[in-house]
Every structure is written in C-alpha cells, then in structure tokens.
Amino acid sequence: MKEKTVKVSINRGIAAGSLTGAVNGLFGGGGGMIAVPVLGGWLGYPEKQAHATAIAVIAPVCAMSAAAYIFGGYFDASVVIPASIGNVVGGLLGARLLSGLSVFWIKVVFAAVMLAAGIRMAVG
C-alpha cells in the first residue's frame, strides 16, 4: 500500500536534516532515532513512510559521519566486514518486517528500542 504524498518546505527539510546530522555526528549514530519522530511528528509523514524515509535520509549522514571518524582516527577496520554483513542482513529483515507489521506494533517496537538504548546509556 502506497503512503500519502507529503509536501515539505525546503527550510523545514533542511532543519530536520541538520538536527538528524548533528545527532548522528555527535553520537556516531542514532540519527535515525531522531529522524523517525521528526519525519512523523514535525513533517507529517505517516508512520511507515517516516521509518522508510529515515533509512534513505540517514545513509548519507552515516557516510559523512563515518568519514569524519575515519579521518579522526576512531576507526577499527577489523569489524567493518563482519558488521557490514550483519547490517545488510538485518536491514533486509527489518524492511520486510516494516511492510508486514501494523503501525501499532511498529510504534511499540520502536519505543522499546529507544527506551532500551536510553537505559543502556544512562546506566553505563
């Protein structure tokens, strides 16, 4: 099922992208956790479209953040291939799950992941 078309002003899009990029650059990831609520709540995308669009939006952000970390010396080449394989498999699985899950369960799972990440960061 195709989602509705959302018209977003360039300024709001740039602001949303800047926030996502800043969070991703600051924490070395996590821009998608910001992108989904921003796309859904602030820019008005339907839930599934916000999740799918966040993936496309976060790809160039991750590439730029990765370059900054690589050139800054914060890079472990030994993990790149295994983690990349896992990311591709997980990404394909997640995309299939997104299309099959109801919006309710997407919200529940997303909230649980965000909560778990927040607790993990708070405790250590």
Side-chain angles (χ1 to χ4, degrees):
M1 170 193 303
K2 190 169 178 170
E3 298 281 349
K4 71 177 183 175
T5 302
V6 177
K7 291 217 177 228
V8 176
S9 76
I10 290 175
N11 289 338
R12 286 185 92 169
I14 290 171
S18 296
L19 176 61
T20 300
V23 167
N24 203 76
L26 179 63
F27 298 119
M33 292 291 206
I34 297 300
V36 171
V38 167
L39 287 166
W42 192 37
L43 300 181
Y45 284 90
E47 193 72 25
K48 287 186 179 185
Q49 194 173 3
H51 284 266
T53 303
I55 297 299
V57 167
I58 205 67
V61 172
C62 288
M64 294 307 296
S65 296
Y69 283 119
I70 289 167
F71 291 118
Y74 302 102
F75 175 70
D76 182 1
S78 68
V79 76
V80 171
I81 298 296
S84 295
I85 292 169
N87 277 319
V88 168
V89 171
L92 292 171
L93 177 63
R96 293 200 82 191
L97 285 172
L98 178 67
S99 65
L101 289 175
S102 70
V103 170
F104 170 80
W105 284 110
I106 292 167
K107 286 182 177 185
V108 168
V109 171
F110 188 71
V113 169
M114 287 183 67
L115 180 62
I119 291 170
R120 172 74 172 108
M121 293 202 60
V123 244

